Amino acid sequence: MGALPLSRTNLLPAALVAFRQERPETPVIVHDSRYEDLLAGLVAGEVDAIIGALRDPAPVAEVEQHPLFDDRLCFVSGPGHPLTKESAPTIASLVQWPWIVPRLGAPARRQFEEFFAKHGLRPPENVIESGSVLLMRETLRQSEMLGCISGWQAAAEVQHGLMTALPIQPDVPARQIGVTLRRDWMPTTAQRRMLDLLKEAARNF
């Protein structure tokens, strides 16, 4: 399984736990890497599926995409950030802070930059690029940086008090999250069951 950042927080762990309970001896390998690397592995037959944000349009003709749910971006900070104490921060004020954002080429990064451009502003230039929720969480906790993250991922962090959703949120379209497969792929019974468990996990969150 190729795991993009969003899938590693809730979706894939839930499906893997259920799969392992049913099939304790079936080997499973999770590849967490860049989309480009996972896509090359998928086309070459080295990866069976990629779980995460879908691309529009599909990047190559050899693959097909299956949506599971929609997700929106979320702007977050560490608990106690000055912006969380403002009742109505402006979009322009967001540019003044350093950020942790998705890597260039990721759909979420494109939406992040389009959000500021839509409001006539240059995107923040003081950024760290990373797809790691753990790195973002700890960096926000130890600084006054801001983060751009999947709303799906942010929900658990905010619920546990590890991050805080900012008073101002990006007005961008929802992104489709799902599974990318090879068009000519013929899954085994175990592989098909894993895909079914991913669908069940998506419905339960």
Side-chain angles (χ1 to χ4, degrees):
M1 310 295 292
L4 295 173
L6 183 147
S7 69
R8 301 170 199 159
T9 306
N10 294 317
L11 179 62
L12 188 54
L16 287 172
V17 168
F19 183 82
R20 182 52 74 219
Q21 290 173 344
E22 294 183 7
R23 296 175 176 270
E25 297 182 1
T26 302
V28 178
I29 300 174
V30 177
H31 298 276
D32 48 351
S33 185
R34 298 186 313 152
Y35 179 82
E36 293 78 10
D37 296 335
L38 293 176
L39 180 64
L42 182 69
V43 172
E46 299 166 355
V47 174
D48 294 322
I50 301 174
I51 299 55
L54 302 182
R55 270 48 181 176
D56 184 21
V60 293
E62 293 92 335
V63 303
E64 56 187 22
Q65 302 184 122
H66 302 270
L68 292 175
F69 61 92
D70 289 340
D71 179 57
R72 293 184 181 277
L73 287 191
C74 183
F75 289 165
V76 294
S77 70
H81 191 284
L83 279 183
T84 65
K85 302 171 184 177
E86 294 185 21
S87 58
T90 64
I91 295 174
S93 69
L94 299 179
V95 181
Q96 303 170 14
W97 298 91
W99 284 78
I100 301 180
V101 298
R103 289 186 290 259
L104 283 172
R109 178 63 175 278
R110 184 174 63 251
Q111 285 192 320
F112 174 77
E113 295 180 342
E114 289 174 350
F115 165 74
F116 288 98
K118 174 183 175 181
H119 293 278
L121 298 168
R122 293 184 62 181
E125 297 180 353
N126 185 355
V127 301
I128 294 175
E129 298 183 19
S130 174
S132 169
V133 178
L134 177 59
L135 184 143
M136 177 179 290
R137 176 203 306 161
E138 290 305 303
T139 305
L140 297 185
R141 184 179 65 84
Q142 299 178 41
S143 72
E144 292 188 341
M145 298 184 71
L146 303 177
C148 174
I149 189 175
S150 147
W152 174 276
Q153 291 175 296
E157 303 292 324
V158 171
Q159 180 181 357
H160 291 94
L162 301 172
M163 294 182 186
T164 300
L166 294 179
I168 186 168
Q169 291 296 319
D171 51 345
V172 297
R175 301 175 300 153
Q176 286 193 319
I177 309 302
V179 182
T180 303
L181 308 171
R182 289 189 306 279
R183 287 191 179 277
D184 61 354
W185 186 52
M186 299 294 291
T188 64
T189 301
Q191 290 167 332
R192 188 173 298 281
R193 181 55 183 155
M194 183 64 195
L195 295 177
D196 289 340
L197 290 171
L198 283 168
K199 296 175 184 177
E200 292 178 17
R203 289 195 295 266
N204 291 334
F205 282 107

